[in-house]
Amino acid sequence: MAFRFQALGVNEGLSQGNVTCMLKDHHGLMWLGTWDGLNVYDGFTNKTYRQSSNDTGSLKGSLVNSIYETHAQELYVATSQSLNRLDRRTGKFVHYNLNQTPNDIRILRQANEHLLVSVNNELWWFHLTRHAFSRVQNKVTPLWNAYFKNNKTAVNHSEFLMNSLYTFFEQQASSLPLFADFFLHHTVNDLASIGAHYVMATDDGLWVFDTQQHTFRVQFDSLKFKCMTLSGGELFVGTQTAGLWILDASTLAVKQKLRQDERQKFSISGNFVRTLYIDDQHLLWASVLGNGVNTDRKSTRLNSSHRLTS
């Protein structure tokens, strides 16, 4: 597979070069969260939403953790300070907070009329019509709390990782003692379920857990692996120093390694790949630390029914 990457970074109008999360909405607009504001890109123009002390309807919180579009097509943005809902008609945000400091929020998923969110690494429900928070009390809660008791400050906790962890705890609750020691000694940045295996991207290799044999093995042990996403029988894996790897999802054999090459105009723009996203057109978006996002040039003109206006 030949990739011809195009970068969308600060030079193209992005508010900041570190992209933390990505979402393509039902209009075909691409939303990008950064360390300094929220960006929306229509394939032609980028628009930025930032926190402003002079505007009560501005985004609350500069560091964007996650972006989510509900089944009712409402856009929610979770930041290090608040849960924000965008009023698309006015371009203003409504803010929802717990009486806590800080209010570091990440959105995991929607469950019926609730969003499942993490607030300061604790599980909460957010009711989408009452706009109220309530604690999550289910079989996952004690497993979640036990995990984050030893992982409170990990900088790579993303909504992608947290959603995968929640699913993992739901399905593997009885096997958690097998993982307790692993989670204690390895920094898990992402995980993916592939057949009877869990693949875990960690700071000391790519590890595989066989759910039938209840055994671990390390696939690659010399690199820091930061993120993963599955698409079309392939596992896309971001590394800290070696760019983007594409593996066969069934065998985990390496099919391609994509690294920055300054001699090549359309190579990936950096070798620290921190977040990956596959959109509804099966196009890859890869955030590169400090250099915004890279996507295949086929997706430069998004399938958008809306054009941004200044």
Side-chain angles (χ1 to χ4, degrees), residues 21-233:
C21 50
M22 297 173 269
L23 173 81
K24 191 174 180 183
D25 72 8
H26 73 285
H27 291 309
L29 299 172
M30 195 71 191
W31 296 84
L32 307 168
T34 75
W35 290 2
D36 184 23
L38 173 70
N39 298 261
V40 57
Y41 177 63
D42 66 0
F44 301 87
T45 306
N46 180 76
K47 180 178 180 179
T48 299
Y49 296 90
R50 281 192 175 97
Q51 179 171 271
S52 171
S53 58
N54 298 320
D55 184 358
T56 58
S58 69
L59 183 72
K60 186 173 183 179
S62 298
L63 173 57
V64 179
N65 289 323
S66 52
I67 310 162
Y68 192 88
E69 188 174 48
T70 67
H71 302 333
Q73 299 178 345
E74 289 187 311
L75 193 79
Y76 280 83
V77 182
T79 73
S80 58
Q81 296 184 37
S82 180
L83 183 64
N84 303 262
R85 178 173 57 86
L86 177 65
D87 185 330
R88 296 181 194 263
R89 296 170 302 171
T90 65
K92 301 296 184 180
F93 290 90
V94 182
H95 315 122
Y96 307 102
N97 296 81
L98 285 166
N99 187 24
Q100 295 184 9
T101 302
N103 265 275
D104 192 39
I105 300 179
R106 287 168 175 80
I107 305 167
L108 278 66
R109 62 170 77 164
Q110 182 173 349
N112 298 319
E113 71 273 23
H114 291 89
L115 289 181
L116 177 64
V117 301
S118 169
V119 185
N120 302 329
N121 289 335
E122 295 180 344
L123 289 172
W124 291 78
W125 296 118
F126 177 77
H127 199 285
L128 288 166
T129 54
R130 295 199 300 267
H131 300 140
F133 291 92
S134 59
R135 287 189 180 274
V136 175
Q137 299 293 341
N138 59 22
K139 69 177 183 178
V140 177
T141 305
L143 306 176
W144 185 271
N145 292 340
Y147 174 79
F148 280 102
K149 182 179 180 180
N150 297 312
N151 293 272
K152 290 183 178 180
T153 59
V155 296
N156 287 307
H157 287 159
S158 67
E159 79 276 21
F160 304 110
L161 166 63
M162 287 185 160
N163 194 18
S164 298
L165 274 175
Y166 190 89
T167 303
F168 170 75
F169 289 150
E170 280 183 314
Q171 298 176 350
Q172 297 294 322
S174 62
S175 300
L176 191 66
L178 294 169
F179 290 90
D181 188 65
F182 185 88
F183 285 146
L184 185 62
H185 292 95
H186 301 270
T187 299
V188 178
N189 299 313
D190 209 346
L191 61 92
S193 176
I194 305 175
H197 299 86
Y198 279 97
V199 181
M200 287 166 281
T202 79
D203 275 353
D204 56 353
L206 199 68
W207 290 79
V208 183
F209 178 74
D210 188 317
T211 61
Q212 297 176 338
Q213 300 297 321
H214 294 94
T215 56
F216 288 94
R217 64 179 172 86
V218 63
Q219 185 75 7
F220 305 101
D221 61 359
S222 58
L223 287 173
K224 294 184 178 182
F225 293 89
K226 293 299 184 181
C227 54
M228 298 183 295
T229 191
L230 278 165
S231 179

Side-chain angles (χ1 to χ4, degrees), residues 243-261:
L244 174 65
W245 291 17
I246 304 174
L247 311 181
D248 182 284
S250 59
T251 65
L252 297 185
V254 177
K255 298 176 67 173
Q256 280 185 273
K257 294 182 180 180
L258 305 174
R259 294 180 59 91
Q260 183 181 27
D261 184 346

